[in-house]
Amino acid sequence: MNDEGQLYTIEGIAAAALILTTVYLVLNSTMVFTPGDTHVYDMQLEQLGNDVLAVMDQPLTWDTTAGPATKSPLEQYIETNDQTGFRDVFLKYSKTTTGEDDTIQFDSSYFYNNGGQVEVIHFAETQDYHRENAVLVTRWVNIEDGSSFGGESRPQTVLLEVLLWRS
């Protein structure tokens, strides 16, 4: 018999005590859980908003004998300040992929140049109030006749901003 066996035994007991103490401290400490999946929902909502604006910004031809349309529905809604048409089509397109039971809400505005000054017009919104988990999607829209924006009849590019959230 020698002393090596006793040293290994004492070392094993000390290691076990250290492991048990560490496990006890880890399990009894305060744990903070962060919802890591919330950003996924925000990214999906942002992508949905960008897709809806991209579809609305494509010229549509309703009459096959008239040839291709030159204006997109989005351009027409902004030029004529058709808030109801924009709201209805935006909600229709957004619920096409997510389903009729989806509770998407939005608030939109557009910015334009009025003689060197940037002006903002509150455009269309849903009836629900803004929540804190909202995402912002934007789209540059080319307007052929900017006469409805400050009297100048030159082409203009306006910035459409849509704030999206689910209620």
Side-chain angles (χ1 to χ4, degrees):
M1 295 255 185
N2 58 12
D3 293 338
E4 284 186 28
Q6 290 177 347
L7 286 176
Y8 285 130
T9 304
I10 293 172
E11 184 180 355
I13 292 172
L18 183 62
I19 290 171
L20 289 175
T21 303
T22 304
V23 168
Y24 174 77
L25 290 174
V26 166
L27 292 178
N28 286 327
S29 65
T30 303
M31 293 186 187
V32 177
F33 293 105
T34 57
D37 293 338
T38 57
H39 69 282
V40 173
Y41 300 120
D42 291 344
M43 289 185 337
Q44 289 173 341
L45 188 60
E46 183 178 2
Q47 185 62 47
L48 176 68
N50 283 326
D51 290 346
V52 168
L53 290 180
V55 168
M56 290 177 70
D57 201 18
Q58 298 300 315
L60 301 175
T61 303
W62 298 105
D63 185 8
T64 56
T65 60
T70 57
K71 292 185 179 183
S72 69
L74 193 56
E75 182 180 354
Q76 292 173 5
Y77 294 139
I78 291 174
E79 274 185 352
T80 60
N81 200 26
D82 185 6
Q83 298 176 8
T84 305
F86 176 82
R87 180 178 53 248
D88 293 344
V89 171
F90 189 90
L91 289 175
K92 175 185 165 190
Y93 286 173
S94 65
K95 292 181 179 185
T96 299
T97 57
T98 59
E100 286 297 321
D101 296 334
D102 199 0
T103 59
I104 290 179
Q105 306 293 321
F106 73 92
D107 188 8
S108 64
S109 301
Y110 60 87
F111 299 83
Y112 67 95
N113 181 5
N114 184 8
Q117 296 285 1
V118 176
E119 303 285 338
V120 61
I121 293 182
H122 184 75
F123 189 45
E125 65 181 359
T126 55
Q127 298 300 318
D128 201 5
Y129 61 95
H130 168 254
R131 304 263 179 173
E132 59 205 40
N133 293 336
V135 296
L136 181 69
V137 294
T138 60
R139 181 94 178 166
W140 290 100
V141 182
N142 293 320
I143 308 293
E144 290 179 22
D145 182 20
S147 61
S148 58
F149 308 110
E152 299 178 24
S153 61
R154 63 178 173 80
Q156 226 188 108
T157 302
V158 300
L159 177 64
L160 176 67
E161 289 187 347
V162 180
L163 193 63
L164 291 168
W165 68 93
R166 284 192 167 99
S167 59

